[in-house]
Amino acid sequence: MGGAPDTPAGVYAWQGLKAGAAKGGAAAMLACSTTQVVPDGYVSVPKVVEFPCPLGTAYGYYYPPANAECASSEAAPPLLVKAHGGPTGATSNGFNPSIQYFTSRGFAVLDVDYGGSPGPEPYRTRTLTLTTDPDPDPDPDPDPDPNPNPNPNPNP
């Protein structure tokens, strides 16, 4: 099983591990998940991006617009942000026709692999680290009560 950002998933045969086989040889496709072929110039290949979030760093795949017949003078294309289902889901950079549909029509897509997913750093690991780290300010009473009188009534 295999695929790539610009190739639909399929079943491949690869002879690269056989004795005497040429190293780095190409895999031969035996079967493909689709018969549709996307023409050159219309497939957007993603770039890995990372950005800060409340629990550290979040990751995703940025797909720029890709259309061989069109161009834009805009500083930035319209952006669609996609979040995968969770909590155990994750995104990948495999060929995704729904993303390619939008990028071929001038949209950029950010496919976010957010903190709840089992990606590079699982949510539970980061949460556990945040809750078990010692307090950076060890002062037991950082904000003392300015009124030490325990009686709230000023006229006893």
Side-chain angles (χ1 to χ4, degrees), residues 31-128:
C32 186
S33 60
T34 182
T35 57
Q36 300 295 316
V37 176
V38 180
D40 288 340
Y42 291 89
V43 175
S44 179
V45 177
K47 298 168 181 64
V48 176
V49 295
E50 59 182 68
F51 47 93
C53 68
L55 290 178
T57 303
Y59 301 89
Y61 296 101
Y62 173 77
Y63 294 80
N67 188 314
E69 297 175 24
C70 297
S72 173
S73 61
E74 293 181 1
L79 176 69
L80 299 174
V81 179
K82 177 180 175 291
H84 62 75
T88 59
T91 191
S92 75
N93 66 347
F95 184 80
N96 185 328
S98 64
I99 289 175
Q100 298 300 328
Y101 173 84
F102 287 105
T103 59
S104 68
R105 283 153 178 81
F107 290 89
V109 175
L110 176 61
D111 194 0
V112 179
D113 199 17
Y114 58 88
S117 53
E121 187 178 357
Y123 173 80
R124 64 182 164 272
T125 303
R126 288 187 293 175
T127 304
L128 181 61

Side-chain angles (χ1 to χ4, degrees), residues 14-27:
W14 183 58
Q15 305 299 320
L17 297 178
K18 283 188 172 182
K23 291 187 179 192

Side-chain angles (χ1 to χ4, degrees), residues 126-136:
R126 288 187 293 175
T127 304
L128 181 61
T129 302
L130 288 173
T131 58
T132 58
D133 279 350
D135 185 359

